[in-house]
Structure formats: C-alpha cells, structure tokens
C-alpha cells in the first residue's frame, strides 16, 4: 500500500565518449502530466538527437517508455528498469542525448541511459508515502509531558501544536500503529485526553524512517 515517489523535479548529466546525457525526473500523477513533462523537455532540447523517456503511474498501474530512435531495448527499457528497481511510482524520467559522433554500441547505450536515469533519481528527494491517520489530541497541560514522551515510540509526525487554554496537538500516525497509540494515550491520560481521528491519508514518512 505504501509507495515511494519524489517531491519535486531534479536533473543531472554526464558525458560519455563526447555524447552528453541529461537525466530529468519529475513527479507526475496522470498520463497527461507525464506527456506534458516529456513534451516540455523535448521542446527545450529540439536539437538533441534523442529524448528517451519512461514513466510509472499508480493510476491504472501504467508504465510506458520510448527509445526515441535509439536501437530497440537500449534506452527506454533501461530507464524504466531503474525506476522499477528503486520502487518509484508517480514519476517520469526523460534522458536527453546530444550525440558526440562516437557510437557507444548496444551495451554502452544501456549503461549510459541507466546511469543518466540513476543520476536523476539520486538528485531528487525521495518521499516514503505511507498510509496514516491524522489525529487531533486535546488535553490539559498536566498531561502534555506524558503525551510528548509517548509519541516518539510510535514514529509520529507532529504537524501542528496549539498551546491555548488546553494543549492541542495534530499528529500523523501510521495506520498500523493507530489503535495501539490511541489505547496507550487513553491509558496514560486516564481517559482525559480528547482524541479525534481526522481521517486516513498518504503522507511522507521518509524523515521519520531515516532517523529510526
């Protein structure tokens, strides 16, 4: 259910035997968004010999690629393979090639396009999108210490804190840890905390998982 994607566009490039390879990556959610991104890069690099692409979407489980004039199987498939191996979805990669006059051969092309796609992925911020619940916890100040001591055990993310007449915390908790957290919150506050479940959603937990 959880998935990996990227937060924003990124790019990187390298030169192999006088050919320049520029890898671009962008977050896309629909087929139209992917095509629009590909067309933008193509328009930017009209003089390039090739604009190879691959993309994977969660919507309808779509994955597509194009060799854009390179020998079949030497460009689009290697780029798609990089995305699959990294487990990325809702992303599109375009690799632009400016031909330098020296042929790379089939194996050389596969390595070059794979490397360009990998560089683009490395340049992007990867988000670990997890199914979670947004909880609104309201309690008196006497309970705040107990609550804040408890939350790190459940890898929660605090999205809002309001210190008014009571303390109100809005947090994200992974769906699989929801019931256990609610139970323990009720226990440590003696049932005095008001716990409101604001619904289920996908959010980025990469920072929490990196530190855990």
């Amino acid at each position: 259910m959880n998935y990996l994607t990227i937060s924003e566009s990124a790019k990187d490039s390298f030169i192999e035997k006088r050919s320049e390879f520029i890898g671009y990556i962008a977050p896309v959610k629909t087929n139209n968004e992917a095509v629009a991104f590909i067309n933008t890069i193509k328009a930017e690099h009209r003089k390039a010999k090739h604009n190879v692409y691959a993309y994977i979407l969660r919507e309808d489980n779509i994955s597509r690629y194009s060799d854009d004039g390179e020998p079949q199987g030497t460009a689009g498939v290697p780029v798609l393979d990089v995305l699959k191996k990294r487990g990325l979805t809702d992303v599109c990669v375009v690799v632009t090639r400016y031909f330098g006059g020296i042929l790379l051969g089939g194996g050389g092309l596969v390595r070059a396009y794979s490397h360009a796609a990998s560089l683009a992925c490395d340049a992007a911020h990867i988000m670990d999108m997890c199914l979670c619940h947004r909880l609104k916890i309201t309690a008196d100040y006497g309970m705040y210490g107990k609550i804040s001591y408890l939350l790190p055990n459940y890898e929660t993310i605090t999205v809002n804190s309001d210190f008014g007449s009571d303390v109100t915390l809005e947090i994200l908790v992974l769906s699989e840890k929801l019931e256990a957290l609610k139970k323990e919150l009720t226990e440590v506050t003696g049932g005095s905390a008001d716990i409101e479940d604001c619904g289920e959603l996908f959010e980025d937990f990469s920072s929490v998982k990196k530190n855990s």
Side-chain angles (χ1 to χ4, degrees), residues 65-105:
Y65 66 89
S66 166
D67 295 312
D68 194 36
E70 293 283 27
Q72 190 176 352
T74 62
V77 169
V79 172
L80 185 65
D81 282 346
V82 168
L83 297 181
K84 285 181 174 175
K85 280 174 186 164
R86 296 197 178 214
L88 291 171
T89 190
D90 284 351
V91 293
C92 179
V93 168
V94 180
V95 178
T96 298
R97 181 192 183 189
Y98 284 93
F99 184 53
I102 300 172
L103 295 172
L104 300 183

Side-chain angles (χ1 to χ4, degrees), residues 20-207:
E20 184 182 15
F21 290 85
I22 312 165
Y24 295 88
I25 189 168
V28 292
K29 283 199 163 66
T30 64
N31 206 61
N32 287 346
E33 283 181 21
V35 171
F37 174 64
I38 293 160
N39 288 338
T40 299
I41 301 301
K42 282 183 172 179
E44 198 179 314
H45 294 285
R46 283 194 184 90
K47 292 180 180 176
K49 187 109 184 204
H50 308 281
N51 286 290
V52 166
Y53 68 78
Y55 59 90
I56 298 176
L57 305 174
R58 282 197 310 141
E59 187 183 88
D60 299 327
N61 203 19
I62 291 170
S63 62
R64 298 212 168 107
Y65 66 89
S66 166
D67 295 312
D68 194 36
E70 293 283 27
Q72 190 176 352
T74 62
V77 169
V79 172
L80 185 65
D81 282 346
V82 168
L83 297 181
K84 285 181 174 175
K85 280 174 186 164
R86 296 197 178 214
L88 291 171
T89 190
D90 284 351
V91 293
C92 179
V93 168
V94 180
V95 178
T96 298
R97 181 192 183 189
Y98 284 93
F99 184 53
I102 300 172
L103 295 172
L104 300 183
L109 286 173
V110 169
R111 285 189 295 275
Y113 279 105
S114 296
H115 186 51
S118 293
L119 286 177
C121 292
D122 291 341
H125 169 66
I126 308 293
M127 298 196 298
D128 190 348
M129 303 298 287
C130 297
L131 200 56
C132 62
H133 280 251
R134 190 178 178 117
L135 286 188
K136 191 173 179 182
I137 306 161
T138 306
D140 62 48
Y141 280 85
M143 294 297 162
Y144 176 63
K146 289 179 179 179
I147 294 168
S148 57
Y149 180 77
L150 181 66
L151 295 182
N153 299 339
Y154 288 87
E155 297 181 312
T156 60
I157 296 173
T158 302
V159 289
N160 197 21
S161 309
D162 182 18
F163 298 93
S165 52
D166 286 317
V167 180
T168 301
L169 301 175
E170 287 186 54
I171 65 162
L172 301 173
V173 57
L174 295 169
S175 294
E176 65 262 25
K177 298 185 177 185
L178 173 68
E179 291 308 321
L181 174 61
K182 281 164 69 175
K183 184 169 179 281
E184 199 165 349
L185 280 170
T186 302
E187 284 170 4
V188 299
T189 62
S192 65
D194 181 60
I195 305 164
E196 182 189 344
D197 190 339
C198 303
E200 198 168 39
L201 69 161
F202 279 100
E203 280 290 352
D204 178 21
F205 271 73
S206 58
S207 58

Side-chain angles (χ1 to χ4, degrees), residues 4-16:
L4 298 175
T5 189
I6 63 167
S7 58
E8 57 196 15
S9 301
K11 72 170 189 174
D12 203 350
S13 63
F14 75 103
I15 291 169
E16 179 72 22

